[in-house]
Amino acid sequence: MDRTGEQAGSLRTPGSLLAVNLNPFDGTPKGLTSRACGFLSHHCVRVDIKPMEQHRQKWLELDIPAEETDRVVAFQRRWGGLALPPSPRYEGGFMIGPGGEFGLHSWRWTALHETIEGCVESLALAHHAALWAKCITKVTGDEVEAVALDGYQPVREVRGLADTWWRGADSLVAIYNGEADCLSAPRSRTALIYSGLDEWGLGGDVGDDEG
């Protein structure tokens, strides 16, 4: 792309959207469950982007440490250009933390998941649960405290921090605390309860050794 953001071979007229190349997601990233891999393969695409490697020399001249450049390049090779379906809770403001955490940044930094993989797992599970649940209940604000999680187990693969998932006998509960913490807005706390799930609905084909 040049400085206007236009891509060679694309056509752009005043008031029109920029044409981009969309490619099927291919490959099976390490560190993801079979459910998340299937989610990426069937519901995600990659957009063509310019490699960050081309900026390495310029960044070095600006005294940006080489290890930070390596980190950016490695991130782009794994996740660059990946377009995911909408999150059931967030619309943007995402940032990657110094330890690889996936989180939100606005008034302050709030880590949602320990890793980017954890975020992808959360999106994949939300899609799966919404597909198979007989009922989805939304709870917000102070009422989230009343959501009973006795007998529920944390869903390990989402690597939850501010946002967590819990698995019960026939239901899944997603608790989103990230926006409430990031914006100091307790009313933004949200829980989604996916009920009426059978064994498949509770986890798909993810085994105990995954995640």
Side-chain angles (χ1 to χ4, degrees), residues 23-144:
N23 309 293
F25 182 87
D26 56 0
T28 304
K30 295 180 180 179
L32 294 176
T33 63
S34 53
R35 178 182 57 236
C37 289
F39 174 72
L40 291 177
S41 297
H42 292 95
H43 303 286
C44 305
V45 295
R46 281 193 186 276
V47 178
D48 286 347
I49 56 176
K50 286 285 189 178
M52 300 302 291
E53 181 68 43
Q54 67 181 345
H55 302 295
R56 179 181 293 275
Q57 186 58 42
K58 180 64 174 180
W59 290 344
L60 291 174
E61 293 172 0
L62 294 173
D63 294 326
I64 296 175
E67 55 268 25
E68 293 302 321
T69 300
D70 292 341
R71 185 168 173 245
V72 170
V73 170
F75 172 85
Q76 188 189 53
R77 287 174 178 168
R78 183 168 173 81
W79 302 111
L82 182 62
L84 298 162
S87 164
R89 186 65 190 93
Y90 303 110
E91 297 181 356
F94 302 125
M95 182 178 290
I96 307 304
E101 307 92 341
F102 182 91
L104 293 174
H105 186 270
S106 183
W107 298 113
R108 61 186 172 195
W109 157 251
T110 298
L112 306 179
H113 301 274
E114 293 178 8
T115 62
I116 301 168
E117 288 82 358
C119 173
V120 174
E121 292 285 355
S122 179
L123 290 172
L125 186 55
H127 178 271
H128 176 86
L131 185 64
W132 296 102
K134 294 181 180 178
C135 178
I136 303 175
T137 304
K138 182 178 181 179
V139 181
T140 60
D142 294 340
E143 294 182 6
V144 174

Side-chain angles (χ1 to χ4, degrees), residues 2-34:
D2 61 20
R3 289 185 297 175
T4 65
E6 296 193 23
Q7 196 171 33
S10 65
L11 177 64
R12 185 178 183 179
T13 58
S16 68
L17 295 176
L18 174 65
V20 296
N21 293 326
L22 302 179
N23 309 293
F25 182 87
D26 56 0
T28 304
K30 295 180 180 179
L32 294 176
T33 63
S34 53

Side-chain angles (χ1 to χ4, degrees), residues 35 124-134 155 157 165-173 194-206:
R35 178 182 57 236
L125 186 55
H127 178 271
H128 176 86
L131 185 64
W132 296 102
K134 294 181 180 178
V155 178
E157 59 265 27
W165 277 82
W166 301 83
R167 180 178 287 116
D170 62 357
S171 61
L172 287 164
V173 178
Y194 302 84
S195 55
L197 295 168
D198 58 14
E199 183 176 359
W200 171 262
L202 287 171
D205 56 355
V206 175

Side-chain angles (χ1 to χ4, degrees), residues 156 206-211:
R156 296 179 303 164
V206 175
D208 293 336
D209 58 339
E210 293 191 76

